[in-house]
């Protein structure tokens, strides 16, 4: 969730390595505006809730036991 222009990864390699060694339950990021979305790895739910022309954040519903629920919001979305 760190691709810029769909071409290259722009995220921090040091942060990626730290997360691999010490996986959090949830990682929320948003600095890379071009690649909003979410992915659930075996240990971490990663959510890029970046805001750009078409996306405007995410609603994250964490459950005690995964899977968790993520709804990516668009500019024309209304809250449930």
């Amino acid at each position: 969730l760190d691709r810029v222009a769909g071409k290259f990864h722009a995220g921090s390699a040091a942060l990626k390595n730290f997360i691999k060694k010490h996986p959090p339950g949830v990682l929320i990021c948003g600095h890379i505006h071009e690649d909003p979305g979410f992915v659930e790895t075996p240990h971490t739910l990663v959510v890029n809730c970046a805001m750009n022309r078409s996306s405007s954040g995410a609603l994250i519903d964490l459950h005690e036991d995964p899977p968790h629920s993520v709804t990516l919001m668009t500019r024309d979305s209304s809250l449930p």
Side-chain angles (χ1 to χ4, degrees):
L1 302 174
D2 66 347
R3 287 190 167 265
V4 174
K7 297 179 182 176
F8 61 91
H9 294 279
S12 166
L15 180 59
K16 180 181 178 180
N17 291 333
F18 179 83
I19 290 167
K20 284 184 173 185
K21 289 181 183 178
H22 310 281
V26 178
L27 172 68
I28 301 171
C29 55
H31 186 76
I32 306 296
H33 297 268
E34 294 91 339
D35 201 12
F38 63 95
V39 63
E40 195 151 7
T41 71
H43 303 286
T44 303
L45 169 64
V46 180
V47 181
N48 180 347
C49 58
M51 298 175 77
N52 60 33
R53 285 186 208 128
S54 60
S55 65
S56 63
L59 294 176
I60 305 167
D61 188 9
L62 301 176
H63 304 280
E64 192 167 322
D65 296 313
H68 305 295
S69 171
V70 178
T71 303
L72 297 175
M73 304 301 291
T74 60
R75 287 284 175 192
D76 56 354
S77 299
S78 59
L79 294 173

